[in-house]
Amino acid sequence: MGLLDWLFSPKEVTREAFVQEAIELLERAGGTNFSYDAERFALRGADHTWFLDNAFARTKGLAKHKRRMELERFVATVIEAPKIDVSTLDTAAPLLKPTLRLRGRDAATQLQATLDGGAHTDIVPYAFEPLVDELIVRPVVDTQVSMLHVDAQRLREWGISVENALKIALANIRHEVVPAGFTRLQDGVLAGAWVPDYQPCAMLFPEIFRNLSLRGSPVVAPLTRGLIYVTGSEDTAGLTRVLTLAEQSVTRELYPCSASLYRHDGRSWTKFMPTGNSEVERLAHRVETLQAWELYETQQRLLNRVHEETGIDMFVATFMVVERGSAMFSVSSWAHDVLSLLPRTDVLAMQLEDGSNRTVSWEAAFEAFGDLMKEEPGLWPRRWRVRRSPGDDQITALPEYQSEA
């Protein structure tokens, strides 16, 4: 193999080799007192914990010189971010930017922070405003080498509300988003043409959608912080294309935003579930199911760890995905008389006294037994707490769930 092949051919690197190279670069850059937490795949410093999953994923399959560039960027984040002064509004204001996130992902980040600090630690929540459904917008401090979260305590130190922080953040990015517009792709689909890290922020400037040539109202899929697609609410080919791209993005993309569709009706954004075409409807439900599975799986893992460390005896039900023919649906189990947290699924497998199950739709179960199902406050995605089960005669009175093959 020649020198150029060695430099530019993709290389597979183990986690251990990645960590070793990162620590060597940190030490050369003057970093000290770093330790490696293999269980959490993280580096720990005196005041910060740096999780390595995203940095490692960005280097997978890269040629040696490109991997080195990514590692150097990561090292710059670790070394420089703690030095940046954002203690006052004057120093922080020019760096404020808006970011869109699913509330469930922020909740998972905060559950992880609780575990890192000890399960009894009080964590200050991030500052945010709801945008539509479970999609939220919150201010971050963009230092160019990293994005720093802004929480309620930070806002109090600055003497500013989250609304005013977001006004500053929007003003800081408007000139980058609004004039740039969109690039037209195939099948009636457009993509954002502005700075990569803030693609979903187009939703915060609805005026840029007014003069687009679309079939129907604007529909967007803000897949990642670097990727947003737009099509029309009546464009079957466009919706099919966007939903296909959205399905591919679920669990595979770095810095995910949301794989859901959102429609602007001229006044505000609403969650959009297409109707009128069975294939588009099937794709939309599939995307929603896969995204919910990813969020619930992470939440379940973290909740089980919190419960283990705090001594709470509670069953956190699994969000299961079932494919039957062309149909995909979600299922969770309501165990008989077991204290449980149930995810919102299409189907509930309700356990009878003899241990067998009867599968019923969530809607039918909630209508019949809603008094036994109490939404657990503070959990995103949502879960419902149940302590006891209905009687067998009540359960079997409900129609058994029938999936579409």
Side-chain angles (χ1 to χ4, degrees):
M1 177 182 290
L3 176 61
L4 290 180
D5 290 334
W6 181 77
L7 281 172
F8 294 101
S9 297
K11 300 290 191 302
E12 290 300 327
V13 177
T14 65
R15 286 188 167 201
E16 291 72 21
F18 171 84
V19 170
Q20 182 178 351
E21 191 171 359
I23 291 176
E24 288 175 358
L25 286 173
L26 281 167
E27 290 174 346
R28 289 182 194 175
T32 58
N33 299 323
F34 287 99
S35 61
Y36 174 49
D37 184 339
E39 181 181 354
R40 291 189 171 94
F41 193 41
L43 287 177
R44 294 188 178 277
D47 301 311
H48 293 76
T49 298
W50 307 91
F51 293 96
L52 302 175
D53 297 271
N54 285 343
F56 179 65
R58 284 197 300 271
T59 65
K60 289 194 70 174
L62 292 182
K64 184 178 179 65
H65 75 292
K66 289 187 176 180
R67 186 179 76 250
R68 188 74 168 198
M69 290 170 61
E70 283 291 340
L71 270 168
E72 288 171 351
R73 181 182 177 187
F74 170 72
V75 167
T77 299
V78 175
I79 296 294
E80 297 299 327
K83 301 177 184 177
I84 296 172
D85 179 18
V86 292
S87 59
T88 68
L89 183 59
D90 287 341
T91 57
L95 305 177
L96 283 175
K97 299 288 180 67
T99 186
L100 271 61
R101 295 266 289 176
L102 283 178
R103 195 167 179 182
R105 290 201 173 94
D106 263 13
T109 301
Q110 301 225 278
L111 273 175
Q112 182 67 63
T114 299
L115 288 164
D116 291 338
H120 297 282
T121 303
D122 290 328
I123 300 297
V124 181
Y126 300 142
F128 71 89
E129 286 284 291
L131 180 62
V132 51
D133 198 56
E134 76 278 24
L135 192 63
I136 62 174
V137 56
R138 59 181 177 85
V140 295
V141 176
D142 186 350
T143 69
Q144 298 302 310
V145 293
S146 67
M147 291 187 185
L148 307 179
H149 299 302
V150 175
D151 57 28
Q153 180 176 331
R154 180 82 70 182
L155 291 177
R156 286 193 295 270
E157 292 170 356
W158 291 343
I160 192 174
S161 66
V162 64
E163 295 87 354
N164 286 331
L166 284 170
K167 285 180 182 178
I168 296 171
L170 288 174
N172 285 344
I173 200 175
R174 174 180 287 275
H175 70 283
E176 299 179 21
V177 175
V178 175
F182 297 91
T183 299
R184 189 167 291 275
L185 308 178
Q186 296 178 338
D187 299 325
V189 178
L190 294 84
W194 51 93
V195 289
D197 283 345
Y198 298 98
Q199 293 278 322
C201 291
M203 296 179 69
L204 307 176
F205 303 99
E207 65 270 22
I208 69 177
F209 297 94
R210 288 177 188 155
N211 297 320
L212 298 179
S213 179
L214 300 171
R215 295 180 59 188
S217 303
V219 172
V220 303
L223 301 185
T224 74
R225 77 184 193 192
L227 190 61
I228 186 171
Y229 290 116
V230 185
T231 191
S233 59
E234 306 301 323
D235 193 330
T236 299
L239 291 170
T240 301
R241 178 65 173 159
V242 168
L243 286 166
T244 301
L245 293 166
E247 181 181 351
Q248 294 170 359
S249 79
V250 176
T251 74
R252 300 181 190 176
E253 296 286 350
L254 292 173
Y255 311 119
C257 180
S258 173
S260 299
L261 299 181
Y262 304 94
R263 173 179 175 268
H264 200 273
D265 61 8
R267 297 180 302 276
S268 61
W269 293 102
T270 56
K271 185 81 169 284
F272 181 65
M273 290 297 288
T275 58
N277 181 287
S278 59
E279 177 61 17
V280 174
E281 291 176 22
R282 183 190 68 81
L283 273 173
H285 182 72
R286 185 181 182 89
V287 168
E288 289 293 325
T289 301
L290 290 172
Q291 179 168 258
W293 169 80
E294 184 250 336
L295 293 170
Y296 273 120
E297 190 277 334
T298 300
Q299 182 195 61
Q300 180 191 39
R301 173 172 50 82
L302 293 172
L303 283 175
N304 281 336
R305 286 182 56 196
V306 169
H307 292 169
E308 181 180 351
E309 293 191 15
T310 55
I312 294 174
D313 184 15
M314 184 183 300
F315 175 60
V316 183
T318 300
F319 182 100
M320 295 175 285
V321 176
V322 176
E323 290 193 79
R324 188 172 295 168
S326 62
M328 174 183 282
F329 56 93
S330 55
V331 184
S332 61
S333 176
W334 185 337
H336 184 73
D337 286 347
V338 174
L339 178 61
S340 306
L341 288 174
L342 305 180
R344 172 64 169 89
T345 50
D346 298 316
V347 181
L348 275 174
M350 303 196 68
Q351 189 177 46
L352 304 176
E353 288 189 35
D354 64 2
S356 62
N357 290 296
R358 185 173 182 85
T359 57
V360 302
S361 73
W362 176 277
E363 290 81 4
F366 194 80
E367 181 177 355
F369 314 126
D371 58 323
L372 302 178
M373 304 166 69
K374 304 301 181 185
E375 186 173 343
E376 187 75 356
L379 287 186
W380 293 85
R382 296 179 175 94
R383 284 184 182 265
W384 281 259
R385 179 187 290 241
V386 294
R387 290 184 176 275
R388 62 183 180 85
S389 301
D392 282 6
D393 56 340
Q394 295 175 289
I395 296 173
T396 55
L398 297 182
E400 192 152 15
Y401 179 80
Q402 300 292 329
S403 68
E404 297 179 5

